[in-house]
Amino acid sequence: MPELTEGHWLTQAVETEPKRIVYSAEAIHSRVHEIAREITSYYPPDEDLLVLGLLKGSFIFLSDLVRAINRPLHVDFIVASSYGAGTTTSGNVKLLYDPMAPIAGRHVLLVEDIVDSGNTINRLAEALGNRDPASLELCALLHKHLATDLTLEPRWVGFDAPPEFLVGYGLDHAEDFRHLPFVASL
Ligand code: PRP
């Protein structure tokens, strides 16, 4: 993979900069479309599908994914955060916004950017599972496979990610780098 040189992606002075592209924009585009085809054929076409994007990290992945899924669906968001400005989870997953959309009886597809410690998913799986969805599945762009106690395994994974701190395509470090069209390591 190419080394990252300073370019127009980095428009401000930051102490920590991405060093290496891990997944290029082209690789992500191709994988997102593969996953979208699988999701399209997985759900019965006449049943209600709610795609629930976990903010903020999934916002780019979600927007690319739903445009590639070829069936009716609704979109809503849920907001959770646990990392703050650091590179390790605080372990305290705060639900900052809960969807207005009803969950009971609907197929719910939770879309997340990355499964790291698994704390976020475990917290959300509990919160959403208690609301009697017809089904609850997880689609994660990146999965580090570090969590040993995941209560909701992703049915769809974009890439098995290395144990590095990753940024770009929605993922941040202290709110920087979400806008990068690729995923890079710090
Ligand atoms: C990050 C990331 C995932 C979660 C994964 O979110 O976007 O949602 O952490 O980590 P975990 O598996 O260790 O819980 P963060 O809390 O940084 O909020 P953000 O989405 O607003 O960046």
Side-chain angles (χ1 to χ4, degrees), residues 15-182:
E15 281 181 22
T16 313
E17 289 186 354
K19 295 290 188 301
R20 182 177 66 92
I21 295 177
V22 180
Y23 304 110
S24 67
E26 293 75 20
I28 295 170
H29 176 87
S30 159
R31 188 71 189 113
V32 166
H33 279 74
E34 283 174 5
I35 292 173
R37 280 194 291 275
E38 290 178 20
I39 291 172
T40 301
S41 58
Y42 178 78
Y43 289 100
D46 54 347
E47 293 183 17
D48 198 8
L49 174 62
L50 174 65
V51 180
L52 202 52
L54 174 59
L55 296 179
K56 301 176 195 169
S58 77
F59 79 106
I60 296 179
F61 178 41
L62 178 90
S63 63
D64 284 346
L65 185 69
V66 292
R67 285 179 291 173
I69 295 174
N70 187 18
R71 58 150 290 145
L73 56 80
H74 291 156
V75 177
D76 207 335
F77 300 95
I78 191 162
V79 185
S81 184
S82 64
Y83 277 74
T87 57
T88 53
T89 179
S90 67
N92 179 21
V93 181
K94 290 187 199 132
L95 270 188
L96 305 175
Y97 168 78
D98 216 354
M100 307 303 290
I103 301 288
R106 309 176 77 184
H107 295 291
V108 175
L109 174 59
L110 187 59
V111 175
E112 164 148 80
D113 53 342
I114 185 165
V115 181
D116 195 328
S117 71
N119 287 336
T120 305
I121 278 312
N122 285 346
R123 173 83 175 86
L124 291 179
E126 183 188 14
L128 297 171
N130 285 340
R131 298 178 201 176
D132 297 323
S135 68
L136 176 61
E137 301 290 355
L138 172 63
C139 174
L141 176 69
L142 304 169
H143 190 357
K144 286 192 176 174
H145 296 278
L146 297 176
T148 54
D149 61 345
L150 264 193
T151 55
L152 180 63
E153 285 288 341
R155 181 168 291 279
W156 297 280
V157 172
F159 302 97
D160 294 328
E164 300 168 38
F165 198 87
L166 301 172
V167 297
Y169 199 69
L171 290 85
D172 75 309
H173 174 252
E175 298 300 330
D176 285 321
F177 314 128
R178 289 195 199 274
H179 65 299
L180 303 183
F182 45 77

